[in-house]
Structures are given as C-alpha cells and as structure tokens.
Amino acid sequence: MLLADYTPERVAIKDYKGVPRMEVRGLSLDDVSLLVRSHLADLQRLYDLLNGGDVADAFKLLITDGFILKLLTDFPELAARMIAVAADEPGATANARRLPLPLQIMAIQAIMRLTFEDVGGPKAFVALIGSMIGKLPLTGAGATFTP
C-alpha cells in the first residue's frame, strides 16, 4: 500500500440506542504535538502521577482502563481535547466535555486502541519504547525500565 492511499481507520461511538454520536480515529504525531502544546501542565501532572512510584506500575496503569478513568476524572479538559482532536473537530472541546461519561469512556477506549493497534496495542508500544531507551534512567537515581 502506498502512503498516498492511507486513510486512518475511524470508529463510530454510539449511544445506548445504537445511534452514532461521533467518529474518532487514532492520534497522530501532529495530534500529540497539539495536545502537548495546549495541555503541557496537565501532561506534566499526568507524567508525575504515572512516574511517582515504580516505573513498572506506571506503565501498567498506562495500558489499563484505570488510566482512562484517571484521565477523565483528574484531567477532564485534556480528555475532552483528545476526543475533539480524534474526532477531527479540535474546536469542539466544550462539546466533548458535555458528552455523557459512558460516551467519553468509549471514545477514549477507541482512541487508545486506534492509536496503538498497528504496533500490537499499548503493551507492545510500551515495549517498543522500552527497547528504544533500553536501560536509560527515566527518573531519579537508579530508576530504569527494562522491557
């Protein structure tokens, strides 16, 4: 397949009646860059939260639904912006914040799946990043990540 033929997969997020409320796709490098530029303080707090204890525990949280719940409850503006960006409506953050919580959860789950599925899921992504950084210290003295 040629790069010119690439179209990101989109998933419809449906309400309890089966009515599609929006479509989302995985996040690209541009999307992540936008989120970093617009939510640097939240991302720093999220990083600190994930990195506050054992590195392995932080990565376990990152690849579970516990991360999604933490994102929605502690970082609602970041979560809403992520949903809006993945729906190709970056200006609709306020609308994403007004979505019912179950739809927000389904949207974030779909975004995470679509973002990481081409490398085998979040666990494989973490392993890929881990293989790139090897045993480099991530924080503090002696903290390392070994894939």
Side-chain angles (χ1 to χ4, degrees), residues 15 18-19 82-83 89 93 131 147:
D15 65 17
V19 176
M82 185 183 299
I83 292 168
E89 298 182 55
T93 302
S131 70

Side-chain angles (χ1 to χ4, degrees), residues 39 42 71-72 74-82 93-94 97:
H39 294 280
D42 280 344
L71 181 66
L72 288 167
D74 291 2
F75 306 95
E77 186 68 26
L78 173 59
R81 185 70 184 264
M82 185 183 299
T93 302
R97 285 193 76 160

